[in-house]
Amino acid sequence: MQMPYVTTRILRFGDCDISGTAYFPSYLNILNNVNEEFWEVLGWPWHDTIWKERWGTPTVHLSCDFSAPSFFGEELTFEVRVLRVGRSSVTLAHEISCNSKKRWSSTQVLAASDLDKHCSIPWPADVHAALTALLPAAGTAD
Amino acid sequence: MQMPYVTTRILRFGDCDISGTAYFPSYLNILNNVNEEFWEVLGWPWHDTIWKERWGTPTVHLSCDFSAPSFFGEELTFEVRVLRVGRSSVTLAHEISCNSKKRWSSTQVLAASDLDKHCSIPWPADVHAALTALLPAAGTAD
Amino acid sequence: MQMPYVTTRILRFGDCDISGTAYFPSYLNILNNVNEEFWEVLGWPWHDTIWKERWGTPTVHLSCDFSAPSFFGEELTFEVRVLRVGRSSVTLAHEISCNSKKRWSSTQVLAASDLDKHCSIPWPADVHAALTALLPAAGTAD
Amino acid sequence: MQMPYVTTRILRFGDCDISGTAYFPSYLNILNNVNEEFWEVLGWPWHDTIWKERWGTPTVHLSCDFSAPSFFGEELTFEVRVLRVGRSSVTLAHEISCNSKKRWSSTQVLAASDLDKHCSIPWPADVHAALTALLPAAGTAD
């Protein structure tokens, strides 16, 4: 996987509100969908880690700036970057654009979590290594 | 209206994911629902401002910290506070708890927006006055 | 509980689409929410049966007629009736109106289901008795 | 376009409930998404008909049979067939499977509708012709 990880999503009818632009909670459903794809390409699809290994990556922090509206039917480009890797967390930066014009951005912290005990756990060693390999040269893994 | 504005929501089956806890985009749908109630009680229900006056209050910034999971069937308490009132924006703080235990919090900036031109507009004078009246004593309206 | 079971829901911003009327999948999310309330009032809240007893009531059949649109901000009245009780299923009829004007209706079959094995199970005897008691006089329980 | 129109969707994390299988309202959101793609391929993308021509295709009837559960992460195949074309309606049949095993099916009636007046309208002549061309040999257009 190369950074940024790039993928696209069409803004569907069901994602839009009365104004004809994205309903912001639907934006976050799409973002979660993009994260799901990111983990699948990375090699740890959520349906495997959740079903077989009983851990997940719930969101513990989320920050978003919505700078310009997106309209029903537009194709949005999502760029995902790994900003920081902790012992049991990862910070992702998302840049969302349409035809190279910025629409919104997000910083999101995911934490490795035991699905049955609902508490954070350290990343498995191979996951930590894979995430760390995606850091920019100047980045630091704990 | 007194600060904080307090209301409750039950975490429904459809709001929860495989882990049995809240799916975070559903949390934000509930938050938007709470904001809708806040504006209705304040005297400007969205269905009136949108249908009749053609303005709305889209979210331009959102920051959330999810500190503890909420489980299917729990009753959540939402406390809404007005932190800052600008010429065309308002900053809201949300504290969400269950049985007095903190679950998550959010800071959200809404902007008054022309629904047809999709651009920000100044608050109508009476809306600005009503929001300003909810500021804490030390707060400042622009 | 008396038949029909009656409750209300306000059609929220997040439930509406570009046309300003209910997005039909959101209608069904609201319907599921009403069913959740029905089971809670009946004495078997889903969060108990799912968490503690490991059975649920997935939908196996659904039929809907949408006869008139509902608009953002309207209060909808839901009437729920039990039409038929089987060994492991129940048929519910829903009539949804606004100010006594019909908006849509639904017939829905729920099946008692083992949550781990994903197969149907007979109703627990007390659940079967409680559902049967809600049948109209001419109704028949298997 | 050939009948049936075939497309696929992955069942995402956000589409699943506590049981790890599809939440049925999310199934219908996905179905609507598939219909949106169908109309785009047919030549009348909803974002054009809604934005420029002010008509849409709301659902007036829906019937679904959910015969087997679908699990998080599975790829579902949707087959769409045109069953009947009326003056202002079209009946679609959907068959949804996974690895050739049936999961659910739906019959859905869409009605051409004026978005501002919220009333049904006849199909534009070219739309009627395009839909009629998709009918099976034995099918009948009004």
Side-chain angles (χ1 to χ4, degrees):
Chain A
M1 186 188 281
Q2 285 195 316
M3 288 286 98
Y5 178 73
V6 181
T7 189
T8 62
R9 291 291 184 281
I10 293 173
L11 196 61
R12 295 293 187 184
F13 184 79
D15 300 319
C16 295
D17 61 29
I18 293 179
S19 72
T21 65
Y23 179 52
F24 84 85
S26 295
Y27 254 164
L28 296 168
N29 182 47
I30 298 171
L31 190 79
N32 195 62
N33 189 306
V34 165
N35 284 346
E36 187 175 336
E37 179 184 316
F38 168 86
W39 282 90
E40 189 162 3
V41 174
L42 189 65
W44 286 271
W46 285 350
H47 45 94
D48 280 349
T49 63
I50 289 177
W51 290 132
K52 299 175 188 168
E53 307 180 16
R54 302 298 299 156
W55 61 274
T57 60
T59 297
V60 294
H61 174 75
L62 176 75
S63 179
C64 303
D65 286 290
F66 303 102
S67 37
S70 298
F71 294 85
F72 168 40
E74 289 186 332
E75 186 181 71
L76 302 179
T77 300
F78 287 73
E79 295 187 4
V80 188
R81 287 175 177 81
V82 176
L83 288 195
R84 188 178 172 281
V85 180
R87 183 176 157 273
S88 66
S89 71
V90 62
T91 304
L92 301 177
H94 299 271
E95 297 281 336
I96 297 93
S97 60
C98 180
N99 293 325
S100 302
K101 285 173 196 155
K102 182 175 175 180
R103 292 298 171 77
W104 63 290
S105 60
S106 171
T107 303
Q108 186 181 19
V109 181
L110 308 181
S113 175
D114 180 300
L115 273 177
D116 299 306
K117 297 180 186 164
H118 297 283
C119 63
S120 69
I121 55 169
W123 294 114
D126 49 0
V127 176
H128 190 273
L131 290 170
T132 301
L134 299 176
L135 286 169
T140 309
D142 294 351
Chain B
M1 186 188 280
Q2 285 195 316
M3 287 287 97
Y5 178 72
V6 181
T7 189
T8 62
R9 291 292 185 280
I10 293 173
L11 196 62
R12 295 293 187 185
F13 184 80
D15 300 320
C16 296
D17 62 29
I18 293 179
S19 73
T21 66
Y23 179 53
F24 85 85
S26 295
Y27 254 164
L28 296 167
N29 182 47
I30 298 171
L31 190 80
N32 195 63
N33 189 307
V34 165
N35 284 346
E36 187 174 336
E37 179 184 317
F38 168 86
W39 282 90
E40 189 163 2
V41 174
L42 189 67
W44 286 272
W46 286 351
H47 45 95
D48 280 349
T49 62
I50 289 176
W51 290 131
K52 300 175 187 168
E53 307 180 17
R54 302 298 299 156
W55 60 274
T57 60
T59 297
V60 295
H61 174 75
L62 175 75
S63 179
C64 303
D65 287 290
F66 303 103
S67 37
S70 298
F71 293 86
F72 168 40
E74 289 186 332
E75 186 181 71
L76 302 179
T77 300
F78 286 74
E79 295 188 6
V80 187
R81 287 176 177 81
V82 176
L83 288 195
R84 190 177 170 283
V85 180
R87 183 176 157 274
S88 66
S89 71
V90 62
T91 305
L92 301 178
H94 299 272
E95 298 281 336
I96 297 94
S97 59
C98 181
N99 292 326
S100 301
K101 286 172 197 155
K102 183 174 174 180
R103 292 297 171 78
W104 63 290
S105 60
S106 171
T107 303
Q108 185 180 21
V109 181
L110 308 180
S113 175
D114 181 301
L115 273 177
D116 298 306
K117 297 178 185 164
H118 297 282
C119 63
S120 70
I121 55 168
W123 295 114
D126 49 0
V127 176
H128 190 272
L131 290 170
T132 302
L134 299 176
L135 286 170
T140 310
D142 294 351
Chain C
M1 186 189 282
Q2 285 196 316
M3 287 287 98
Y5 178 72
V6 181
T7 188
T8 61
R9 291 293 185 279
I10 294 173
L11 196 61
R12 296 293 187 184
F13 184 79
D15 299 320
C16 296
D17 62 29
I18 293 179
S19 72
T21 65
Y23 179 53
F24 84 85
S26 295
Y27 255 163
L28 296 168
N29 182 47
I30 297 171
L31 190 80
N32 194 63
N33 189 307
V34 165
N35 284 346
E36 186 175 336
E37 180 185 315
F38 168 86
W39 282 90
E40 188 162 3
V41 174
L42 189 66
W44 286 271
W46 286 349
H47 45 94
D48 280 350
T49 63
I50 290 176
W51 290 132
K52 299 175 188 168
E53 307 180 17
R54 301 299 299 157
W55 60 275
T57 61
T59 297
V60 294
H61 174 75
L62 176 75
S63 179
C64 302
D65 286 291
F66 303 102
S67 36
S70 299
F71 293 86
F72 168 39
E74 289 185 334
E75 186 181 71
L76 303 179
T77 300
F78 287 73
E79 295 187 5
V80 187
R81 286 175 178 82
V82 176
L83 288 195
R84 189 178 171 283
V85 180
R87 183 175 155 274
S88 66
S89 71
V90 63
T91 304
L92 301 177
H94 299 272
E95 296 281 337
I96 297 94
S97 60
C98 180
N99 292 325
S100 302
K101 286 172 196 155
K102 183 175 174 179
R103 293 297 171 75
W104 63 290
S105 59
S106 171
T107 303
Q108 186 180 20
V109 181
L110 308 181
S113 175
D114 180 301
L115 274 177
D116 298 306
K117 297 179 186 164
H118 297 283
C119 64
S120 69
I121 55 169
W123 293 115
D126 49 358
V127 176
H128 190 273
L131 290 170
T132 302
L134 299 176
L135 286 170
T140 309
D142 294 350
Chain D
M1 187 189 282
Q2 285 195 316
M3 288 287 97
Y5 178 72
V6 182
T7 189
T8 62
R9 291 292 184 279
I10 294 173
L11 196 62
R12 295 293 187 184
F13 184 79
D15 299 320
C16 296
D17 62 28
I18 293 179
S19 73
T21 65
Y23 179 54
F24 84 85
S26 294
Y27 254 163
L28 297 168
N29 182 48
I30 298 171
L31 190 79
N32 195 63
N33 189 307
V34 165
N35 284 345
E36 187 175 335
E37 180 184 317
F38 168 87
W39 282 90
E40 188 162 3
V41 173
L42 189 66
W44 286 271
W46 285 350
H47 46 93
D48 280 349
T49 63
I50 289 177
W51 290 132
K52 299 175 187 168
E53 306 179 18
R54 303 297 299 157
W55 60 276
T57 60
T59 297
V60 295
H61 174 74
L62 176 74
S63 179
C64 304
D65 286 291
F66 303 103
S67 37
S70 299
F71 294 86
F72 168 40
E74 290 187 332
E75 186 182 70
L76 302 178
T77 300
F78 287 73
E79 295 188 6
V80 187
R81 287 175 177 82
V82 176
L83 288 195
R84 188 179 171 283
V85 180
R87 184 177 156 273
S88 66
S89 70
V90 63
T91 304
L92 301 177
H94 299 272
E95 298 280 337
I96 297 93
S97 60
C98 180
N99 292 327
S100 302
K101 286 173 196 155
K102 183 174 174 181
R103 293 298 172 75
W104 63 289
S105 60
S106 172
T107 304
Q108 186 180 20
V109 181
L110 309 181
S113 175
D114 181 301
L115 273 177
D116 299 305
K117 297 179 185 165
H118 298 282
C119 62
S120 69
I121 55 169
W123 294 113
D126 49 0
V127 175
H128 190 273
L131 290 170
T132 302
L134 300 176
L135 285 169
T140 310
D142 294 349

